[in-house]
Amino acid sequence: MAVIPVKLAGRSYQVLVDSALIANAHTHAQPFLRKSRVPVVADANARQHWGDALAASLAKSGHEIEWFDVASGEGSKSWDNLIKLTEWMLSLGVERGDHVIALGGGVVGDLTGFACSILKRGCGFIQIPTTLLAQVDSSVGGKTAINTDTGKNLIGAFHQPSLVLADIDTLSTLPKREMLAGYAEVIKYGILGDLAFFDWCEANGTKVTGGDNAAIQEAVARSVEAKARIVAEDERETTGVRALLNLGHTFGHALEAETGFSERLLHGEAVALGMVLAARYSVRRGLLPSQDADRIAAAIGSSGLRTEISQLGLTCGGTRLADHMRHDKKMDAGTLPFILLRSIGAAFLDHEVSLDDVGAFLDEQLRA
Ligand code: GLY
């Protein structure tokens, strides 16, 4: 088992990465569960596959689950669900010292974490992420949020979980497409700050996406270690260190906006394309050798993720994609910080990027 500490003043916690963590949840979660009834928020898929196993495990420590079901999909991160969830937690008598469990992907984790951040000004929660993307990214680091009509994740809070159980067995029931989308966030850690891990991904990426448990265990543990280091250094994204985790996200966000944040393009798929674009744009700016950008595109493409925006069937031009970026929540006093690359493993924050130039670059990429 990998036990990865997230070291934060007064709020440190552990991320456990292993098989059979749900089957043994009673041992790991017991110190946090003060009452016999345990509130668990779950999406339909996670409950179907892992609900009985979690209930059977918690029963061993004398706990009974109260379920709150959330429909799968981004639409569940809504004001409406936030109201229903917080009212439900109040009706169960959840107190500040209690813990709510989030069982599912990023949607469930983000919604539950945000509800817990505001319930009685903050109660505890435990993340049991059941997708690769949630295990390596959203369940760690305390970003919680809901979506609004204006955009994704615009209402939220930093609220750290007390424990994260990343049970890699849950990935065996994940559709291949979601596994690939999660893998984009794995290889991201190599591209942004760890050449040796990028090398490892080049050699082992297809084992990870193909379901090899040893490779998955290593990929998740190394990704979480990277994220834990970054979060410990810059918990609230104020120094520029945590912002590096947004590599590929600004380009990706524009593609997601253009495709309506729909099944047409999953978040991880957009991040994969976004990382290739960030690398190629770094080449255009004379910052990155073109061989490095080619290597990044090849590593991402060999896993089965798309690397060319011309493959998306978009009818818009680059200016329209750049316009989506003007609404990005990272926009700061009229400029949008971009994560660019000096080499594989050396990302940096550039505040000097012109969105007009990005629009022209995207036009070329759309025609390529
Ligand atoms: N997903 C980016 C972050 O946690 O900062």
Side-chain angles (χ1 to χ4, degrees):
M1 183 192 315
V3 180
I4 299 150
V6 183
K7 294 180 187 154
L8 298 165
R11 293 179 312 288
S12 294
Y13 58 96
Q14 290 183 334
V15 182
L16 310 188
V17 182
D18 203 0
S19 290
L21 289 174
I22 291 180
N24 293 304
H26 57 295
T27 348
H28 306 298
Q30 194 169 18
F32 303 98
L33 305 179
R34 306 189 309 175
K35 296 176 180 156
S36 59
R37 289 160 81 203
V38 180
V40 178
V41 185
D43 70 51
N45 290 335
R47 183 164 174 191
Q48 183 201 337
H49 292 297
W50 302 103
D52 288 349
L54 183 62
S57 168
L58 294 187
K60 290 184 196 157
S61 52
H63 294 100
E64 194 185 334
I65 293 180
E66 297 284 346
W67 292 100
F68 184 93
D69 292 310
V70 171
S72 301
E74 277 291 320
S76 288
K77 281 170 59 176
S78 63
W79 284 113
D80 195 35
N81 263 345
L82 181 69
I83 293 168
K84 286 186 185 133
L85 176 53
T86 46
E87 290 288 357
W88 176 78
M89 285 156 64
L90 290 172
S91 75
L92 290 181
V94 174
E95 297 170 348
R96 285 179 173 176
D98 292 332
H99 282 77
V100 176
I101 295 178
L103 175 73
V107 167
V108 164
D110 283 8
L111 173 70
T112 309
F114 186 44
C116 291
S117 79
I118 56 175
L119 191 103
K120 300 182 179 172
R121 301 203 176 90
C123 70
F125 78 116
I126 294 171
Q127 292 263 25
I128 306 185
T130 58
T131 66
L132 181 58
L133 194 139
Q135 292 187 356
V136 300
D137 183 26
S138 59
S139 67
V140 180
K143 278 191 181 175
T144 72
I146 58 167
N147 304 326
T148 70
D149 290 344
T150 315
K152 270 178 69 176
N153 297 331
L154 293 182
I155 303 292
F158 287 99
H159 188 57
Q160 300 290 345
S162 302
L163 174 70
V164 182
L165 300 179
D167 186 336
I168 62 166
D169 293 344
T170 60
L171 307 183
S172 64
T173 56
L174 204 62
K176 177 83 180 186
R177 187 175 175 201
E178 276 197 55
M179 194 71 186
L180 285 180
Y183 179 69
E185 299 276 3
V186 170
I187 198 168
K188 181 186 81 175
Y189 292 107
I191 299 171
L192 74 86
D194 186 345
L195 175 60
F197 185 50
F198 179 82
D199 291 341
W200 184 89
C201 287
E202 278 186 321
N204 296 283
T206 49
K207 287 192 203 155
V208 176
T209 56
D212 176 312
N213 268 354
I216 291 173
Q217 168 81 19
E218 181 156 359
V220 175
R222 288 178 76 167
S223 300
V224 171
E225 276 161 15
K227 180 142 190 191
R229 264 195 311 274
I230 289 171
V231 169
E233 210 177 316
D234 180 18
E235 182 186 4
R236 296 201 165 222
E237 204 167 311
T238 51
T239 67
V241 173
R242 186 165 183 165
L244 299 182
L245 294 174
N246 294 327
L247 174 65
H249 283 60
T250 303
F251 285 107
H253 183 268
L255 299 172
E256 283 184 277
E258 186 59 25
T259 47
F261 294 100
S262 67
E263 291 289 304
R264 223 175 123 193
L265 186 65
L266 302 180
H267 174 70
E269 295 169 337
V271 169
L273 285 159
M275 290 190 291
V276 174
L277 291 170
R280 290 183 182 154
Y281 187 67
S282 301
V283 173
R284 177 186 170 99
R285 294 274 305 279
L287 299 162
L288 180 75
S290 62
Q291 310 89 280
D292 280 4
D294 293 344
R295 208 177 144 196
I296 288 168
I300 290 174
S302 70
S303 69
L305 286 157
R306 282 173 291 193
T307 57
E308 303 299 329
I309 53 172
S310 53
Q311 296 169 330
L312 292 179
L314 300 179
T315 51
C316 70
T319 309
R320 183 171 160 87
L321 293 177
D323 280 346
H324 286 304
M325 294 177 184
R326 290 179 217 280
H327 301 289
D328 194 296
K329 66 177 172 305
K330 296 182 288 299
M331 199 79 188
D332 181 22
T335 62
L336 183 58
F338 272 72
I339 317 302
L340 300 181
L341 294 164
R342 290 205 174 88
S343 63
I344 297 174
F348 71 102
L349 200 52
D350 189 331
H351 293 272
E352 307 294 321
V353 172
S354 141
L355 284 177
D356 290 341
D357 189 46
V358 168
F361 162 72
L362 288 170
D363 256 338
E364 292 165 13
Q365 294 293 311
L366 284 163
R367 284 197 300 268

